[in-house]
Amino acid sequence: MADTPPSVPSGDFTPQELARGRALRRAQLPWALGGQLASLALSAALGFTAAGAGLVTAVGGWFGGSWAAEVLAGSAALVLLGRAVTLPFSAKVRTARARFGLVTQGWRGWAVDAVRGTALALALFLPLALGLYALIGHSPTGWWVPGALAAALLTVALSFLHPLVFEPLFNRFTPMPDGELRTALLELARRDGIAVRDVLVADASRRTTALNAYVSGFGPTRRIVVYDTLLQTADPREVELVAAHELGHVKHRDVATGTVLGAIGVAVVVPVLAALLAWQPLLDAAGAAHPQDPRSLPLLAALAALLGAASTPAQCAVSRRIETRADRHALELTGDADQFIAMQRRLTVANVADPNPPRVLELLLSTHPSATRRIAAARNWRAAQPS
């Protein structure tokens, strides 16, 4: 059957490696899922009862009780409470990963990152909430039309700004020194017909021993980014294979397509949220008088969170198809199935991933095919090549 997990050839992973990957999955998955469920439960408790309205009124009152104070203080309270609820679960995930040697960052650095991430969320969410509720107040029944357009444009803008503004907040990037590997990576991109501005090294070792690389940016901002941990661990040819996979995303315009699909998705979601936010039984349950009432903020946040959670399996399915296509691109670009398999094995072992997780988990939660499936696909590709 198509959904039957492929067997694991004895030469790919040792029993110890298989057991180690399963052990980490079992150690961190309950906490990761628990954090998501706790976040959804908090959103539902605040959004579908009068508790959220009371919270908005209370925190808004601390800053004068005006309409703007309720929107801004209520938004900040939702962000901070959400972070507070999920933080213990994130800490448990970190603890599990630390036991398997994947964490190099101390608790102080982890806390600084958490504060930085929360500050970024506040900086983004507060002005968006204020603008949204000003728009709803201006046009209570038709706000979703300009709202959908603004949400789509914002998605595009954030995708463009991410490598330029957000990535440097959490990592330092330095140009890869001139040498054979840098030349090989640039030549790989040239042979693929992709313009790359630079090859950068990210200081991932400050946080983790995990290995990765990616291509980010659009047009003149596009660059290949390699984790310093990958450079310290992998053979140069394996680094090329990882880069070839990432170039596959550029070649097939996956980032641009994903951005466009994301923009379309949010543009579709906005009128759905508008219809639900205008449904009086929901407003009554949430303790809000009308959609433009700042006390409807928790309801809006809860609806958005539930819609996002419901769409996760579909998003993962699309992502796995995209990753499979990028794998094939790497094989066709390099013609080196053996080194591709070696690269997949190294990434799986170094990242302590489960090479062959339960199929239901892969279908519901995984953005990438399992290592076993990727290796099997590489062998199938090699077998199909002319002698």
Side-chain angles (χ1 to χ4, degrees), residues 31-368:
W31 296 107
L33 290 179
Q36 295 177 23
L37 291 174
S39 178
L40 286 175
L42 175 67
S43 294
L46 293 177
F48 300 127
T49 72
L55 174 69
V56 171
T57 300
V59 296
W62 298 347
F63 300 93
S66 68
W67 171 87
E70 288 192 345
V71 172
L72 291 174
S75 299
L78 292 177
V79 170
L80 294 174
L81 279 175
R83 294 283 176 167
V85 165
T86 58
L87 205 60
F89 294 91
S90 298
K92 293 296 289 187
V93 170
R94 180 196 180 279
T95 300
R97 294 178 65 79
R99 290 204 307 268
F100 286 80
L102 288 170
V103 175
T104 59
Q105 184 183 46
W107 282 108
R108 179 179 178 182
W110 179 82
V112 169
D113 278 349
V115 171
R116 187 182 291 127
T118 302
L120 180 60
L122 289 169
L124 289 173
F125 189 57
L126 266 61
L128 288 178
L130 189 64
L132 174 63
Y133 272 81
L135 185 60
I136 297 174
H138 177 72
S139 179
T141 58
W143 68 267
W144 60 270
V145 177
L149 178 60
L153 293 175
L154 180 64
T155 300
V156 174
L158 290 176
S159 181
F160 184 82
L161 292 174
H162 186 268
L164 302 176
V165 178
F166 303 136
E167 287 181 7
L169 292 175
F170 295 92
N171 282 101
R172 289 190 292 270
F173 300 89
T174 56
M176 181 179 287
D178 290 334
E180 292 183 4
L181 180 57
R182 185 178 188 277
T183 300
L185 294 177
L186 291 174
E187 172 60 20
L188 193 68
R190 187 202 64 78
R191 189 152 45 88
D192 209 14
I194 296 171
V196 172
R197 180 180 181 180
D198 205 353
V199 182
L200 304 180
V201 179
D203 61 341
S205 59
R206 289 193 302 122
R207 295 184 179 86
T208 182
T209 60
L211 313 181
N212 200 8
Y214 58 94
V215 177
S216 68
F218 295 93
T221 68
R222 185 178 296 128
R223 63 267 185 95
I224 299 173
V225 180
V226 182
Y227 278 19
D228 57 356
T229 51
L230 185 65
L231 295 178
Q232 296 161 7
T233 305
D235 296 333
R237 184 59 173 166
E238 292 174 358
V239 178
E240 289 182 47
L241 263 294
V242 178
H245 168 94
E246 298 303 325
L247 289 171
H249 289 308
V250 179
K251 190 72 173 181
H252 293 286
R253 298 181 176 87
D254 291 336
V255 175
T257 301
T259 299
V260 170
L261 290 176
I264 294 172
V266 297
V268 170
V269 166
V270 167
V272 174
L273 289 174
L276 292 172
L277 194 62
W279 192 30
Q280 198 59 47
L282 279 178
L283 286 170
D284 292 342
H290 40 69
Q292 60 267 40
D293 184 346
R295 292 176 297 175
S296 69
L297 254 171
L299 173 61
L300 181 61
L303 292 170
L306 290 174
L307 288 174
S311 68
T312 296
Q315 293 181 42
C316 288
V318 172
S319 177
R320 288 194 301 274
R321 289 179 65 88
I322 290 172
E323 296 298 335
T324 298
R325 184 173 64 184
D327 280 351
R328 185 174 183 85
H329 179 86
L331 291 166
E332 292 172 348
L333 180 61
T334 64
D336 196 342
D338 291 339
Q339 206 64 47
F340 179 92
I341 292 170
M343 177 266 292
Q344 288 294 335
R345 184 185 182 283
R346 183 183 296 278
L347 291 178
T348 302
V349 173
N351 296 342
V352 198
D354 186 349
N356 195 23
R359 184 59 170 157
V360 65
L361 292 181
E362 190 176 355
L363 289 173
L364 293 177
L365 303 174
S366 295
T367 57
H368 291 62

